[in-house]
Amino acid sequence: MMDLVAQFGGVLSIHVQWDSDSVEQLESLAKYNTKANIIMAHCGSNTSAYDVRDILKNNPNIYCDLSARHPPKLHSKLMKKKPEMKIFTSSGLDNSWKKLIEEMSDRFMVGTDIKKEKDYDKSIITIRKGLLSNLSSETAQKVAYRNAEVLLGLK
């Protein structure tokens, strides 16, 4: 599959739970064909910025989408039960994630992962207020759309 992704300039989007065998498999996949790009959905969903920093530094063909790591997709009960899942809310961005996103600004992109149409506008507001407004202007533009344009060949 990685050979096809590289051959046709595609991108493989993959869900990864952050346990040792899954991380090893993701890195093995990334190293198998370094010309094939991978989007790690939800930045691994239960990762810390520290976890993601290491895998991005070691694998230049892995990217992160920030979907499902913010409200309304990530609801308040789940944020209380599993606070490590939250990267940002409408009131702000976790400092460790902010530092990582600014440091590796070419490797992140927004996403919603919203299933209900009624929640879509709320998600976009949260992305604008909690994520993009807390990043430098250049990084915010990359994360909002430029990185996706480049990675997905949209421009």
Side-chain angles (χ1 to χ4, degrees):
M1 187 179 301
M2 292 298 284
D3 291 337
L4 289 172
V5 169
Q7 180 181 351
F8 293 102
V11 178
L12 177 67
S13 180
I14 188 166
H15 284 81
V16 179
Q17 293 304 320
W18 214 254
D19 49 46
S20 60
D21 64 330
S22 295
V23 173
E24 287 173 16
Q25 291 168 5
L26 176 62
E27 287 197 289
S28 177
L29 194 61
K31 288 179 186 341
Y32 172 79
N33 188 331
T34 58
K35 293 182 181 180
N37 293 317
I38 299 169
I39 296 174
M40 185 169 44
H42 322 306
C43 282
S45 76
N46 60 337
T47 55
S48 68
Y50 177 81
D51 298 326
V52 172
R53 176 179 280 105
D54 285 345
I55 201 159
L56 293 182
K57 280 188 174 186
N58 295 329
N59 302 280
N61 58 332
I62 296 179
Y63 298 80
C64 272
D65 86 42
L66 298 167
S67 66
R69 301 286 301 263
H70 57 86
K73 176 69 175 187
L74 188 59
H75 55 82
S76 60
K77 287 181 185 178
L78 190 54
M79 283 190 287
K80 287 178 185 174
K81 184 177 177 181
K82 297 183 177 187
E84 71 277 7
M85 294 181 73
K86 177 182 71 175
I87 294 176
F88 62 94
T89 66
S90 60
S91 61
L93 170 61
D94 178 271
N95 285 331
S96 63
W97 281 98
K98 178 179 180 173
K99 183 177 177 184
L100 176 61
I101 294 167
E102 290 286 354
E103 178 185 330
M104 301 180 138
S105 61
D106 293 332
R107 308 289 285 285
F108 291 88
M109 60 201 78
V110 298
T112 62
D113 202 18
I114 295 298
K115 294 179 182 169
K116 299 176 185 173
E117 188 175 338
K118 69 179 183 70
D119 290 334
Y120 183 77
D121 288 345
K122 293 176 195 172
S123 184
I124 298 304
I125 290 167
T126 301
I127 289 168
R128 287 178 178 162
K129 285 184 176 180
L131 175 65
L132 300 176
S133 69
N134 288 292
L135 297 171
S136 68
S137 178
E138 181 181 345
T139 297
Q141 288 178 20
K142 287 179 177 182
V143 172
Y145 66 93
R146 285 191 178 150
N147 291 342
E149 284 180 337
V150 172
L151 187 62
L152 302 174
L154 300 174
K155 190 169 184 184

